[in-house]
Amino acid sequence: MSKAVLPPDFLWGFATASYQIEGGANDDGRGASIWDTFCKIPGKIADGSSGDVACDSYHRTGEDIALLKKVGAKAYRFSLSWSRIIPLGGRQDPINEKGLQYYVKLVDDLIAANIVPMITLFHWDLPDALDKRYGGLLNKSEFVADFTRYSHVVFEAMGSKVKHWITFNEPWCSSILGYNTGLFAPGHTSDRKKSPVGDSSREPWIAGHNCLVAHGSAVKLYRENFKSRDGGEIGLTLNGDWAEPWDPSDPKDVEACERKLEFSISWFADPIYHGHYPASMVAQLGDRLPQWTAEDKALVHGSNDFYGMNHYCANYIKHRTGVPEPEDFVGNLETLMSNKAGESIGPETQSLWLRPYPLGFRKLLKWLSDRYGRPKIYVTENGTSLKGENDLPLEKILEDDFRLQYFKDYVGALADAYHKDGVNVRGYMAWSLMDNFEWAEGYETRFGVTYVDYKGGQKRYPKKSAMEIGKVFDELIQKE
């Protein structure tokens, strides 16, 4: 491990999301989200489960905060359930005071425990009523107005207690997995064997555009009405894996790597930092990519106080020749786990998409910093699953050396990016504080530093990584 190079105010902790941990799905007036509805459709969730109970965090915030204190976390990133606060979601719909106060108390309790709250407003669980009422993310004027009002309710309720706000978590997932592949709620896709509705060639680009405009609208609201009073900051969190060429000697594979990053990250980041979509996307998608009105562009361009970065792994990228399929969303290329020489990008995990490659983290931090003018970056998620973890006996699960090594390697890469590459990365939230509902994978895949016994009353057992990750940061963060 390298010497202490991270700044004294570097913020580290853990991340979770409302539908993945809270449970209490029908408690105290909470309304249904699109995920409550999606989970009821047979075959959509690997183990047929849902977030109805999950980790039961709605009833165990004291336990969760005690856990955060025990492992030495400085910060906690969590998301709000919009339908817990406004059950029907809309700007004319009533506020559920009990739901709102649950989060106000959570924030108060975190601050009392000396833990910095970082709030995500939207982590995929759109109120189901809005999807049914007007098509949710596909209806720009309605969705933007409703999201802005919801944001206002929350900003108002929290006062100056919350200094770090994230509007949307990974709009790529909401757009592509929700409206192209249909793997996530609301499950739209052109594949009629999977869904009666959807147009994979057009809907995802509309949904993504509308997320950006809603983000911009909420940021404008915050900056004009709350920022000077509260002294906080607001930004958007984007996911993105690093890309290495399948054949480094083939310029077309090298070029395809750049295109892969543009289709996954720059789709959202370019409009925010540069005021337009990437040329590679415009070239491939043409009029399927929505046009920017002057008004919307003004909302979105310059709307990040920080860049929220979710990152897990890397892939090898091989270019494709010929005309891309209408439903292609990666940029006319193949995403592979091994290169031309047969070398794997990293070890297998429980997640088919996730192979660790720590150097890719450093490279991507540098790429983002260079492309977007050295913004302040918070890593808002980073972590791994472990192949076969769910089938191991408890004592073996708690001895999670693979996960601990992942954190050591990735946090080390982050320290190098800060110290050696000049990347302004100022925070890191490990995914996740505890095992939880892993969306379409149900409870079969575990990402937590804490084992949750779903059959034994949701009891929490900290794994080795929970107890050791603080030491990694202690070594790397300079003392005041």
Side-chain angles (χ1 to χ4, degrees), residues 167-201:
T167 51
F168 286 80
N169 177 77
E170 301 185 347
W172 183 94
C173 292
S174 294
S175 307
I176 296 300
L177 305 181
Y179 293 92
N180 176 295
T181 65
L183 291 172
F184 279 11
H188 287 212
T189 177
S190 291
D191 184 345
R192 290 294 165 258
K193 292 193 289 293
K194 291 182 182 171
S195 171
V197 293
D199 178 352
S200 299
S201 71

Side-chain angles (χ1 to χ4, degrees), residues 15-165:
T16 61
S18 50
Y19 191 70
Q20 293 181 271
I21 68 163
E22 283 181 3
N26 304 304
D27 291 11
D28 295 333
R30 179 184 176 275
S33 76
I34 54 173
W35 274 92
D36 293 279
T37 302
F38 190 67
C39 289
K40 291 185 172 77
I41 304 170
K44 297 299 182 189
I45 311 300
D47 55 6
S49 64
S50 74
D52 282 357
V53 178
C55 307
D56 194 35
S57 284
Y58 185 68
H59 302 109
R60 296 169 189 248
T61 49
E63 249 177 88
D64 292 349
I65 292 171
L67 180 61
L68 286 161
K69 278 187 79 169
K70 183 177 183 177
V71 300
K74 304 282 183 277
Y76 181 46
R77 175 189 173 220
F78 60 97
S79 81
L80 311 182
S81 164
W82 182 346
S83 62
R84 199 180 283 292
I85 295 168
I86 308 170
L88 296 175
R91 55 200 183 277
Q92 307 301 328
D93 294 321
I95 295 165
N96 175 30
E97 201 56 41
K98 273 189 176 172
L100 183 59
Q101 288 309 315
Y102 163 72
Y103 294 113
V104 171
K105 184 177 185 319
L106 174 56
V107 165
D108 286 341
D109 292 349
L110 285 165
I111 292 169
N114 212 22
I115 296 163
V116 175
M118 181 180 277
I119 290 184
T120 306
L121 292 168
F122 186 88
H123 199 125
W124 309 347
D125 46 352
L126 178 78
D128 193 51
L130 301 187
D131 188 52
K132 290 185 166 67
R133 192 179 289 170
Y134 55 70
L137 271 54
L138 297 176
N139 187 318
K140 186 177 83 171
S141 60
E142 292 289 331
F143 176 67
V144 171
D146 285 345
F147 181 74
T148 306
R149 187 264 187 154
Y150 156 61
S151 303
H152 190 279
V153 168
V154 175
F155 295 150
E156 195 72 73
M158 294 302 171
S160 55
K161 293 181 281 200
V162 177
K163 308 293 188 193
H164 310 280
W165 294 98

Side-chain angles (χ1 to χ4, degrees), residues 280-311:
S280 60
M281 294 185 72
V282 176
Q284 179 173 319
L285 300 170
D287 70 353
R288 289 183 283 145
L289 208 53
Q291 295 294 305
W292 286 102
T293 65
E295 186 186 5
D296 290 347
K297 185 175 173 177
L299 280 177
V300 173
H301 191 193
S303 58
N304 260 3
D305 293 337
F306 61 85
Y307 181 103
M309 177 189 189
N310 286 1
H311 175 79

Side-chain angles (χ1 to χ4, degrees), residues 212-239:
L212 275 169
V213 178
H215 154 80
S217 177
V219 170
K220 181 175 191 281
L221 169 78
Y222 185 75
R223 286 176 174 171
E224 289 179 355
N225 298 283
F226 299 96
K227 191 175 169 70
S228 59
R229 182 194 80 178
D230 300 344
E233 56 185 351
I234 188 165
L236 180 72
T237 277
L238 302 176
N239 55 301

Side-chain angles (χ1 to χ4, degrees), residues 393-466:
L394 180 59
E395 61 271 18
K396 284 268 190 276
I397 288 176
L398 300 184
E399 195 74 17
D400 68 335
D401 293 311
F402 181 83
R403 184 173 284 110
L404 178 58
Q405 192 59 50
Y406 177 99
F407 286 134
K408 285 179 176 175
D409 293 344
Y410 270 79
V411 175
L414 174 147
D416 284 343
Y418 178 83
H419 178 59
K420 297 175 180 173
D421 304 333
V423 177
N424 188 24
V425 57
R426 307 305 293 248
Y428 175 98
M429 305 297 132
W431 186 269
S432 177
L433 177 62
M434 58 194 133
D435 296 333
N436 54 51
F437 177 72
E438 188 48 35
W439 307 109
E441 293 175 47
Y443 294 100
E444 292 174 0
T445 304
R446 294 176 178 268
F447 269 89
V449 299
T450 305
Y451 174 80
V452 176
D453 184 356
Y454 302 117
K455 296 192 174 93
Q458 276 63 27
K459 188 165 165 46
R460 286 101 158 105
Y461 299 86
K463 304 173 191 176
K464 186 193 275 188
S465 59

